[in-house]
């Protein structure tokens, strides 16, 4: 950093200059900023001034504080999008989080089934067919679907909700660990993430002395990456907490939805929060469709935001989603996928407990979150044995090191070998460290 000739006499100037270095590429993701006192001495300013400048960079999502490890430059959103994980030849992908294509429906259209292309740029409303089947399912979960809206995927709906509710610089409570695109989105919106730990009942509540968030984003079932679901007791605690925080928006991302074997326990009452459900996990990731209901005033603002941006979600896509949703129910595809994913997860967690005493929280979904002391060593050992797993770093803020193992590409016959290799990786990194 000293080679960059940092200048500035106040926190804003210091933050702006360092931000310029990051955006120009002079400072790369993973680079360490100098200690506060060192830079303060170099600039001839009070250490509090430098600390405040670093705080502005953190709030902008440009750097993160790693305790004694120092302040590190974060990967920027565009770089994160471009640097998709490549699977080396000869390795099995347990890192990308993709689905098992054999458990997805296949779209078939007869000559009589031609989806009408509505003409003009004045289209109003969403597909009645999709609203009907989604509304029926949502109401079976115990919610009202009176004002259901369609958006271009869960992340699009979350972004619109935050744009309408949270001003730049505000703080948002999130699960730790959490879904990495959510962290990227918060940085893009200039929102500060406030991490909340998880236990076997779901996301824990903020402490009494914790910084206040203007919103909280929660996963009620199959939390990514841990697989944990909200218990009824934890959801009740959140409802009581949010009742005392009327300005805090609760956003629920129920991405696993119809694939879940757990009941839906909502952390908010009635129309106070926002419920979001994406169809990607059981109809296919390329169907960029999510449904949202809840706070009517917020939904109206989100629709207004949609109108001045993409205007609407393709009605052809909506009708395809409705057709596939009906198809997976009638043909039993949904039930088969639900059972198969759960069997793989249960079998592997059982083997891990038998082989190396590793007890994981009961859960569901595509992923296992395995605690390790060194993510790099555990990932390297798994790679040597032919498995590509995901380092936990992109998912974590303050939570302990771990690796994420995705099960969509594992067959029943491979689970025993996978469990053996995971145990070897865990034991080996414990010895190395």
């Amino acid at each position: 950093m000293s080679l960059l000739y940092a200048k500035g006499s106040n926190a804003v100037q210091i933050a702006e200059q360092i931000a310029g270095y990051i955006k120009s590429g002079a400072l790369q993701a993973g680079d360490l900023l100098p200690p506060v006192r060192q830079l303060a001495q170099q600039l001839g300013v009070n250490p509090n001034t430098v600390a405040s400048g670093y705080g502005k960079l953190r709030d902008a999502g440009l750097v993160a504080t790693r305790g004694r490890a120092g302040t590190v430059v974060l990967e920027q959103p565009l770089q994160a999008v471009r640097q998709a994980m490549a699977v080396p030849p000869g390795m099995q992908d347990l890192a990308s989080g993709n689905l098992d294509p054999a458990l997805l429906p296949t779209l078939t259209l007869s000559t009589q089934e031609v989806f009408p292309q509505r003409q003009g740029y004045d289209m109003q409303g969403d597909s009645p067919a999709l609203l009907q089947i989604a509304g029926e399912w949502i109401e079976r979960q115990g919610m009202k679907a009176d004002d259901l809206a369609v958006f271009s995927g869960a992340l699009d709906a979350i972004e619109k909700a935050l744009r309408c509710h949270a001003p730049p610089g505000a703080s948002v409570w999130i699960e730790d660990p959490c879904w990495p695109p959510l962290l990227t989105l918060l940085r893009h919106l200039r929102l500060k993430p406030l991490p909340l730990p998880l236990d076997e009942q779901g996301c824990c509540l903020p402490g009494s002395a914790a910084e206040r968030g203007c919103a909280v984003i929660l996963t009620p079932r199959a939390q990514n990456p841990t697989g944990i679901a909200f218990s009824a007791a934890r959801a009740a605690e959140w409802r009581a907490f949010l009742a005392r925080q009327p300005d805090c928006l609760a956003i629920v991302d129920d991405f696993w939805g119809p694939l879940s074997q757990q009941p839906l326990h909502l952390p908010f009452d009635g129309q106070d929060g926002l419920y979001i459900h994406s169809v990607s996990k059981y109809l296919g990731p390329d169907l960029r469709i999510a449904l949202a209901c809840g706070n009517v005033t917020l939904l109206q603002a989100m629709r207004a935001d949609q109108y001045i941006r993409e205007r609407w979600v393709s009605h052809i896509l909506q009708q395809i989603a409705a057709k596939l949703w009906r198809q997976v129910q009638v043909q039993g595809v949904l039930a088969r996928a639900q059972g198969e994913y759960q069997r793989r997860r249960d079998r592997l967690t059982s083997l891990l407990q038998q082989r190396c005493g590793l007890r994981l929280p009961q859960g569901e979904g595509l992923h296992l979150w395995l605690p390790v002391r060194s993510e790099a060593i555990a990932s390297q050992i798994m790679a040597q044995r032919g498995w590509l797993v995901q380092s936990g770093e992109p998912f974590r803020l303050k939570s302990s090191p771990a690796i994420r193992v995705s099960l969509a590409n594992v067959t029943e016959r491979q689970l025993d070998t996978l469990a053996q290799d995971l145990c070897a990786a865990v034991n080996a990194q414990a010895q190395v460290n």
Side-chain angles (χ1 to χ4, degrees), residues 215-230:
V216 60
I217 303 172
L218 299 167
T219 312
R221 303 185 274 202
Q223 197 267 349
N224 183 3
T226 66
I228 293 171
F230 259 152

Side-chain angles (χ1 to χ4, degrees), residues 262-317:
Q262 302 294 324
L264 175 62
H265 299 301
L266 282 177
F268 60 83
D269 287 319
Q271 304 293 305
D272 293 338
L274 183 71
Y275 172 86
I276 299 171
H277 170 62
S278 165
V279 303
S280 297
K281 290 296 183 287
Y282 56 99
L283 300 185
D286 199 44
L287 279 176
R288 313 305 299 161
I289 288 178
L291 300 115
C293 61
N295 187 299
V296 175
T297 302
L298 176 64
L299 284 168
Q300 290 174 346
M302 292 168 63
R303 286 191 177 101
D305 183 86
Q306 181 183 55
Y307 185 76
I308 62 174
R309 295 173 186 272
E310 63 272 25
R311 303 284 294 277
W312 70 86
V313 177
S314 164
H315 282 249
I316 296 176
L317 279 182

Side-chain angles (χ1 to χ4, degrees), residues 243-273:
R244 300 190 298 270
Q245 309 276 342
D247 296 329
C248 179
L249 171 66
I251 301 174
V252 166
D253 178 14
D254 190 22
F255 73 95
W256 198 238
L259 292 173
S260 177
Q261 297 180 350
Q262 302 294 324
L264 175 62
H265 299 301
L266 282 177
F268 60 83
D269 287 319
Q271 304 293 305
D272 293 338

Side-chain angles (χ1 to χ4, degrees), residues 22 29 71 83 106 118 165 170 173 177 185 199 208 232 269 283 297 308 329 338 341 379 388 412 425:
I22 294 172
T71 302
Q83 295 174 0
T106 300
R118 297 172 60 183
H165 179 80
W173 282 310
L185 174 62
D199 62 20
S208 57
D269 287 319
L283 300 185
T297 302
I308 62 174
Q329 290 178 334
Q338 180 190 73
Y341 285 133
S379 299
L388 181 66
E412 180 70 26

Side-chain angles (χ1 to χ4, degrees), residues 85-112:
M85 179 176 293
V87 181
M91 293 187 67
Q92 187 151 351
D93 176 22
L94 307 184
S96 66
N98 281 327
L99 303 167
D100 185 341
L103 299 177
L104 291 173
T106 300
L107 179 65
T108 56
L109 298 177
S110 66
T111 55
Q112 289 79 25

Side-chain angles (χ1 to χ4, degrees), residues 85 93-98 178-181 223-226 281 366-372 375 379 388-393 395 401-407 422:
M85 179 176 293
D93 176 22
L94 307 184
S96 66
N98 281 327
C178 74
W179 185 39
Q223 197 267 349
N224 183 3
T226 66
K281 290 296 183 287
L366 292 172
H367 314 295
L368 289 183
W369 183 249
L370 305 180
V372 297
E375 294 175 359
S379 299
L388 181 66
V389 299
Q390 175 66 62
S391 171
E393 175 68 20
F395 300 81
I403 57 172
R404 191 190 74 167
V405 179
S406 299
L407 302 177
L422 285 170

